[in-house]
Amino acid sequence: MDELYGVYVIHEVVKYGGGLTSESSAEERIGKKLLLEPELFEVRDVSIPDPLYEFACYPPQREGEISANRWSNFYGYGLEREVIEVLRVYEEGDTSGEAFLNLEVLDGELWEMHDGWIYMMKPSRK
């Protein structure tokens, strides 16, 4: 987990499905930052103090398989992976059991799938 901490910047957005977010709204997020630290998580206008992080790994979905999880490979992105690594972000004290956000970890980048778009983030140069 230590190697993932830091600031990430959205460098690319890719449409993978339907949603209410327009292309211009999605592209406006290019250059926006995500902060991933032990004591603070920030994305968009949301700050989570003392977040809880959890790693999960999933096998890539093969053609013809039906899975409850639809990661980017389901839509034809990140197909070269042997395993799909996901960082789950939870708010401390949230009793829903649902992660606030799931981020795919791929080659040092974080990918967020939201409302028909994949937001691809790379670490910010320090």
Side-chain angles (χ1 to χ4, degrees):
M1 187 65 208
D2 288 343
E3 62 192 47
L4 287 178
Y5 289 135
V7 176
Y8 291 80
V9 177
I10 297 173
H11 68 92
E12 186 176 354
V13 295
V14 177
K15 185 152 186 71
Y16 70 86
L20 298 177
T21 302
S22 68
E23 182 175 358
S24 61
S25 292
E27 288 179 350
E28 283 176 7
R29 288 193 53 201
I30 292 175
K32 302 287 184 190
K33 296 180 179 175
L34 175 144
L35 176 67
L36 178 68
E37 292 292 342
E39 57 285 325
L40 184 63
F41 178 82
E42 290 183 337
V43 65
R44 293 183 289 281
D45 295 329
V46 178
S47 291
I48 300 175
D50 300 318
L52 302 172
Y53 300 112
E54 173 184 86
F55 266 116
C57 292
Y58 300 92
Q61 187 172 345
R62 304 289 178 215
E63 189 173 337
E65 290 181 344
I66 297 178
S67 171
N69 297 311
R70 291 207 172 135
W71 306 113
S72 59
N73 70 321
F74 180 84
Y75 300 97
Y77 299 94
L79 296 174
E80 66 282 353
R81 297 176 279 183
E82 291 185 25
V83 65
I84 299 169
E85 295 178 304
V86 177
L87 176 64
R88 297 181 179 279
V89 181
Y90 295 90
E91 290 185 74
E92 188 174 35
D94 183 357
T95 58
S96 71
E98 293 291 321
F100 168 76
L101 191 65
N102 293 309
L103 297 165
E104 291 183 41
V105 180
L106 178 66
D107 297 330
E109 291 192 0
L110 299 178
W111 289 9
E112 176 192 8
M113 295 178 66
H114 180 72
D115 197 33
W117 293 90
I118 300 174
Y119 297 91
M120 299 173 176
M121 296 167 263
K122 60 184 172 185
S124 176
R125 303 243 190 272
K126 295 186 179 182

